[in-house]
């Protein structure tokens, strides 16, 4: 039902996007990608059967082939692997934890983005910024667990489940510890870093490799990441030449984030994180990124998630130009039991605030 509603609501947008992104491929490359998508869907059914059904529902709602919808949520199945770079922060605060990022993408694709709100019969489940027709990029669930992530360019790949499916499975977990355990049980297709935070104040950064699985960075009160591998085990796998070709700004953005931590690390709150993500020092290769001939991506959205308060602060486009909007998510209470009527009221209030 969820996938069907998604597909029907965005039928025109999804078909336009697929025409743009898939029909431009040579016939043999598209045929190979669709064959990989069929294999990936079998893996998704094994690890996340409800997510697999959601993908089938999106395809039904749009009238598109299922493998094409799988490719929409499985950029690892396509070549080049990705056209998104990101700058991310996770931090403990006096009252909880914050996780945030600037998501960079091609300006021509910024209009693909939307905030998706997911409900079950028992109430609100999670909110995810996602590309229309896809499963999701970054978000927070009703237990206050939040996730952002960045692309890593590693030399190894493996059959498995796409990273957008991993993110959806993480959104089912109550806290950072259980999310890490869930990641360890999955077969990852390639390199990616995940920054996690929860409402109890825990944070973690995990670098995932198809070869070595999830690798957790040493604990710290503030952790930052761009597209450079930071751990020795993942640095050994890093394709440095490809990294420089795809994300030449990554090292500059990492240095800027690290400098911000040294400069203001003891005063961490939502406003501090916003200042860090608005930083344009070194433009165009800045944390708040501008498209250039050298690297054509630009910050498409910025999100700051306060796990203790259950708040998402989202700016469309560059946060140096566009303001953040606060969206308060309905957090779960361990003892709460919602009636069907209260769920409907919750949906109506939340959607009116988020529109």
């Amino acid at each position: 039902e969820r996938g069907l509603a998604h597909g029907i609501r965005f039928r025109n947008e999804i078909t336009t996007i697929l025409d743009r992104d898939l029909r431009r491929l040579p016939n043999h490359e598209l045929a190979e990608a669709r064959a990989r998508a069929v294999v990936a869907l079998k893996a998704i059914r094994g690890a996340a059967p409800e997510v697999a059904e959601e993908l089938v529902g999106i395809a039904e709602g749009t009238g598109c082939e299922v493998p094409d919808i799988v490719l929409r949520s499985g950029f690892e199945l396509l070549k080049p692997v990705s056209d998104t770079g990101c700058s991310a922060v996770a931090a403990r605060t006096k009252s909880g934890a914050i996780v945030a990022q600037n998501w960079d993408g091609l300006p021509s694709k910024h209009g693909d983005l939307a905030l998706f709100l997911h409900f079950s019969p028992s109430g609100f489940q999670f909110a995810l910024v996602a590309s229309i027709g896809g499963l999701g990029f970054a978000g927070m669930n009703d237990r206050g667990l939040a996730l952002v992530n960045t692309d890593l360019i590693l030399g190894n790949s493996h059959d498995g489940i796409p990273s957008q499916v991993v993110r959806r499975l993480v959104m089912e977990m109550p806290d950072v510890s259980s999310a890490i355990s869930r990641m360890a049980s999955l077969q990852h297709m390639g390199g990616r870093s995940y920054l996690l935070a929860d409402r109890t104040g825990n944070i973690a950064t995990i670098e995932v490799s198809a070869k070595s699985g999830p690798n957790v960075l040493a604990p710290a009160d503030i952790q930052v990441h761009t597209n450079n591998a930071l751990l020795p085990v993942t640095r050994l796998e890093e394709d440095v030449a490809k990294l420089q070709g795809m994300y030449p700004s990554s090292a500059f953005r990492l240095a800027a984030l690290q400098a911000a931590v040294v400069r203001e690390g003891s005063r961490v709150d939502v406003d501090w994180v916003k200042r860090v993500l608005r930083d344009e020092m070194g433009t165009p290769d800045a944390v708040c990124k501008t498209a250039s001939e050298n690297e054509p991506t630009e910050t498409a959205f910025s999100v700051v998630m306060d796990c203790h308060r259950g708040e998402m602060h989202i700016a469309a486009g560059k946060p140096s130009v566009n303001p953040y909007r606060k969206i308060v998510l309905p957090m779960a209470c361990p003892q709460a039991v919602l009636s069907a009527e209260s769920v409907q009221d919750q949906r109506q209030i939340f959607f009116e605030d988020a529109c």
Side-chain angles (χ1 to χ4, degrees):
E1 291 177 356
R2 175 178 288 167
L4 188 62
H6 183 166
I8 292 171
R9 168 64 178 81
F10 291 107
R11 179 184 289 118
N12 292 337
E13 291 88 346
I14 293 170
T15 54
T16 298
I17 289 168
L18 292 176
D19 284 341
R20 180 196 68 198
D21 292 346
L22 298 184
R23 308 299 180 256
R24 63 179 174 78
L25 297 175
N27 289 337
H28 71 282
E29 286 190 17
L30 181 56
E32 290 172 358
R34 284 171 169 163
R36 289 192 292 268
V38 170
V39 174
L41 183 61
K42 292 179 181 178
I44 295 168
R45 286 194 185 280
E50 289 187 0
V51 175
E53 287 304 308
E54 185 174 340
L55 292 169
V56 172
I58 295 173
E60 183 179 343
T62 58
C64 296
E65 297 295 327
V66 175
D68 288 359
I69 297 299
V70 174
L71 291 173
R72 184 76 186 129
S73 288
F75 63 85
E76 298 96 336
L77 302 166
L78 296 166
K79 297 176 182 180
V81 173
S82 180
D83 52 18
T84 60
C86 301
S87 302
V89 181
R92 293 190 182 95
T93 68
K94 291 181 179 180
S95 60
I98 295 169
V99 67
Q101 78 178 136
N102 283 352
W103 183 277
D104 305 331
L106 297 175
S108 61
K109 297 185 178 182
H110 287 192
D112 296 358
L113 297 164
L115 175 65
F116 287 86
L117 316 171
H118 292 260
F119 291 81
S120 74
S122 60
F124 171 71
Q125 287 185 295
F126 52 86
L128 281 170
V129 179
S131 202
I132 292 167
L135 291 172
F137 292 149
M140 184 190 300
N141 69 15
D142 64 327
R143 272 76 62 86
L145 174 69
L147 170 150
V148 300
N149 57 100
T150 71
D151 192 16
L152 296 181
I153 309 301
L154 307 184
N156 291 291
S157 61
H158 197 285
D159 288 344
I161 62 173
S163 65
Q164 288 191 47
V165 178
V166 173
R167 293 169 235 188
R168 289 291 296 274
L169 290 172
V170 168
M171 284 291 98
E172 297 176 0
M173 299 296 106
D175 52 34
V176 168
S177 177
S178 60
I180 295 173
S181 296
R182 189 72 177 102
M183 284 186 185
S185 70
L186 303 172
Q187 178 59 62
H188 301 268
M189 297 189 75
R192 182 152 294 267
S193 75
Y194 297 91
L195 282 73
L196 305 171
D198 63 33
R199 69 196 304 180
T200 67
N202 292 316
I203 66 170
T205 297
I206 303 96
E207 292 187 344
V208 168
S209 158
K211 179 179 179 181
S212 58
N215 304 282
V216 182
L217 272 69
D221 288 337
I222 304 175
Q223 298 182 333
V224 297
H225 216 293
T226 56
N227 302 106
N228 288 74
L230 301 180
L231 287 170
V233 63
T234 39
R235 281 205 302 268
L236 286 173
E237 298 180 48
E238 192 166 57
D239 188 331
V240 177
K242 192 173 181 180
L243 172 66
Q244 288 296 321
M246 293 182 68
Y247 305 124
S249 70
S250 179
F252 298 104
R253 291 184 279 114
L254 180 62
L257 290 175
Q258 292 170 335
V261 172
V262 172
R263 185 170 64 246
E264 297 187 75
S266 62
R267 295 176 284 174
V268 175
D269 57 17
V270 166
D271 289 337
W272 175 83
V273 175
K274 288 179 180 179
R275 287 197 300 273
V276 170
L277 295 181
R278 289 187 180 114
D279 184 12
E280 292 187 290
M281 186 177 298
T283 297
D285 295 337
V287 171
C288 188
K289 194 175 179 305
T290 300
S292 66
E293 184 177 348
N294 194 39
E295 189 175 359
T297 55
E298 182 167 303
T299 297
F301 73 87
S302 182
V303 59
V304 181
M305 292 177 279
D306 185 330
C307 299
H308 178 71
R309 294 180 178 273
E311 294 176 354
M312 296 180 76
H313 302 254
I314 303 177
K318 296 168 62 175
S320 60
V321 177
N322 301 305
Y324 285 93
R325 177 167 186 179
K326 181 172 71 174
I327 298 175
V328 181
L329 304 180
M331 292 288 102
C333 173
Q335 305 303 320
V337 178
L338 296 175
S339 67
E341 291 79 10
S342 68
V343 172
Q344 182 60 41
D345 291 344
Q346 187 188 70
R347 281 195 179 115
Q348 187 64 31
I349 292 169
F350 185 63
F351 275 108
E352 287 177 352
D353 180 64
C355 285

